[in-house]
């Protein structure tokens, strides 16, 4: 799907032999991308920091995607509904956590074209 995003001016997604949606990558992400993916990096062994992130995300999260731990960090990923989330507030809250050293890093990203394709495919099953 990355190739499509980088090389195609317009994309059409088909399901069951019919075109379900069509447009530029930006158009498809805007109209069919319903979620943000929030990734947070916390120091391993810092349970208090992890709990602060979980508390912050409690009211915003649609789904906890996964969590994995390395020797130095715990990575937490969440799926957040766009309509129930104010990006400015979310960035501000995470920046405050980062400034107070409660988290190491964070990222908020919109749906990928692949995620949109998978969501449309699931709807038609």
């Amino acid at each position: 799907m990355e190739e499509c995003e980088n090389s195609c001016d317009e994309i059409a997604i088909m399901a069951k032999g019919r075109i379900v949606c069509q447009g530029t990558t930006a158009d498809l992400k805007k109209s069919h991308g319903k979620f943000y993916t929030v990734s947070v990096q916390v120091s391993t062994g810092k349970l208090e920091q992890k709990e602060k992130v979980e508390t912050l995300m409690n009211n915003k999260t649609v789904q906890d995607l996964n969590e994995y731990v390395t020797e130095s960090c715990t990575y937490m990923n969440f799926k957040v509904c766009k309509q129930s989330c104010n990006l400015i507030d979310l960035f501000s809250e995470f920046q405050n956590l980062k400034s107070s050293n409660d988290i190491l890093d964070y990222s908020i990203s919109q749906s990928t074209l692949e995620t949109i394709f998978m969501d449309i495919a699931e709807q038609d099953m």
Side-chain angles (χ1 to χ4, degrees):
M1 287 294 173
E2 277 185 47
E3 295 85 7
C4 290
E5 286 189 59
N6 295 327
S7 62
C8 297
D9 292 331
E10 193 163 302
I11 299 167
I13 299 176
M14 292 181 69
K16 294 185 180 177
R18 62 177 172 59
I19 294 177
V20 178
C21 59
Q22 181 176 354
T24 65
T25 301
D27 291 339
L28 294 177
K29 286 181 177 184
K30 184 177 180 180
S31 62
H32 294 280
K34 299 175 184 141
F35 303 100
Y36 293 117
T37 300
V38 178
S39 301
V40 184
Q41 183 181 357
V42 180
S43 294
T44 299
K46 306 274 183 155
L47 187 61
E48 186 178 303
Q49 294 173 337
K50 186 178 163 189
E51 287 173 350
K52 284 183 181 180
V53 172
E54 288 171 343
T55 300
L56 171 65
M57 295 306 294
N58 235 358
N59 299 329
K60 298 171 178 48
T61 303
V62 171
Q63 178 184 6
D64 291 347
L65 293 178
N66 57 28
E67 181 177 312
Y68 57 99
V69 180
T70 66
E71 286 183 27
S72 60
C73 299
T74 297
Y75 298 89
M76 305 165 69
N77 296 305
F78 304 93
K79 193 174 183 180
V80 180
C81 184
K82 279 184 175 182
Q83 293 172 341
S84 67
C85 173
N86 181 336
L87 269 185
I88 294 171
D89 292 341
L90 195 59
F91 272 109
S92 176
E93 289 168 338
F94 276 117
Q95 198 56 43
N96 288 339
L97 286 175
K98 189 173 180 181
S99 296
S100 62
N101 294 321
D102 288 322
I103 63 174
L104 299 174
D105 204 8
Y106 69 95
S107 70
I108 302 169
S109 56
Q110 64 183 17
S111 298
T112 63
L113 200 53
E114 181 177 356
T115 307
I116 293 168
F117 178 80
M118 298 304 287
D119 288 344
I120 290 171
E122 279 181 16
Q123 290 173 2
D124 283 346
M125 289 186 147

